[in-house]
Amino acid sequence: MHASTVRSLLVRGMLAGLIAGLLAFAVAYVVGEPPVDGAIAVEEAQAAQEAHPAPDAHAGHGGTAAEAPEEEEEAVSRPVQSTFGLATGVLVYGVALGGIAALAFSFALGRIGRFSPRATAALTAAAAFTTVYLVPFLKYPATPPAVGNPDTIGKRTTLFFLMILLSVLLGLAAVIAGRRLAPRLGNWNATLAAAAGFVVVTGVAFVLLPANDDAVKAGFPAALLWEFRLASLAVQAVLWAVFGVVFGVLAQKVLAARTAGAPAPAGAPIPG
């Protein structure tokens, strides 16, 4: 593929990521922010309970309660975090991943089968959603802020990104295996065999990698946690679904224009 075509696809991938990010932000604000507010309320209630414990029944009435430590002032207010901050994070995330997915599309087009640009874009988006988010999510589900042990956040973050890297590498290995098995097994059977191998090896990784036992504090409401995780999954699903559709349309137009503008082969009759 020509460098100018790849550059055009990269720009359109970032544009598609921006559009997908806008819709993902809307979903995150509507269905994702309420669970976050609920988690913050639970955290504040627990902090207040720890700061003002119930008086000891055996203590004398003349004692004075210990004063609670003064709360630190937030650098960024909660309303700003839930609007401008959330929008900035989601849009930057969408644009960055849109550009990376466009490069992956440029490499995959014509190499994973005789699919149209729209179908290849849909497959690229589905593979990205599965390997970059869904598989790591199944092993290390998303949790609301400040509900886990702060002393292990570094370890938990490292494990999550390790799971993303492993999932992407296993996905690439499955694609390569499927391509090599296709001449012997046929496209359908080769795809099933590669997918089965991906599931089996991923399952082994799930067993071997350590769990995040301290990612959620004891006593945190299970319904609120489940609501937050479903919202997180919905945001990512919307992001990648919209990207796959929008980028497929844009890529189809770019490639059709390049094909129409390509010079005719030597010896071909000239119309008119």
Side-chain angles (χ1 to χ4, degrees):
M1 186 177 293
H2 199 272
S4 61
T5 303
V6 175
R7 185 166 54 251
S8 297
L9 291 173
L10 174 62
V11 172
R12 282 156 179 80
M14 296 172 70
L15 176 60
L18 178 64
I19 297 172
L22 288 172
L23 294 179
F25 163 68
V27 175
Y29 183 77
V30 173
V31 303
E33 284 303 305
V36 173
D37 290 336
I40 293 175
V42 171
E43 178 194 8
E44 291 176 347
Q46 292 177 346
Q49 185 177 5
E50 293 174 358
H52 302 281
D56 190 352
H58 299 285
H61 294 287
T64 58
E67 294 184 0
E70 186 177 346
E71 294 184 359
E72 297 182 0
E73 184 179 356
E74 291 183 340
V76 181
S77 65
R78 175 63 187 147
V80 174
Q81 292 176 4
S82 61
T83 52
F84 181 76
L86 177 63
T88 301
V90 174
L91 292 179
V92 171
Y93 178 82
V95 171
L97 288 187
I100 295 173
L103 295 178
F105 166 88
S106 301
F107 177 80
L109 186 64
R111 290 184 172 91
I112 60 173
R114 302 181 63 180
F115 297 105
S116 68
R118 289 185 181 182
T120 304
L123 291 173
T124 302
F129 170 72
T130 301
T131 57
V132 176
Y133 183 78
L134 183 60
V135 171
F137 175 86
L138 294 176
K139 175 61 178 177
Y140 301 117
T143 56
V147 302
N149 184 357
D151 296 333
T152 61
I153 188 171
K155 173 187 174 182
R156 289 185 279 121
T157 302
T158 301
L159 288 174
F160 181 74
F161 281 104
L162 176 62
M163 191 66 238
I164 292 178
L165 177 62
L166 183 60
S167 176
V168 171
L169 292 178
L170 291 178
L172 292 175
V175 172
I176 295 173
R179 292 291 295 165
R180 293 185 176 181
L181 292 174
R184 288 184 294 171
L185 302 179
N187 289 334
W188 179 252
N189 291 332
T191 301
L192 291 179
F198 175 80
V199 171
V200 171
V201 178
T202 301
V204 173
F206 277 19
V207 174
L208 296 180
L209 288 175
N212 284 340
D213 296 328
D214 55 353
V216 180
K217 293 180 180 178
F220 188 82
L224 184 60
L225 179 63
W226 181 245
E227 183 181 353
F228 176 84
R229 288 176 174 174
L230 285 181
S232 176
L233 186 62
V235 170
Q236 291 289 331
V238 168
L239 177 71
W240 286 110
V242 173
F243 172 81
V245 173
V246 174
F247 180 68
V249 173
L250 297 178
Q252 184 84 29
K253 292 181 178 180
V254 169
L255 296 174
R258 297 286 179 177
T259 303
I270 300 176

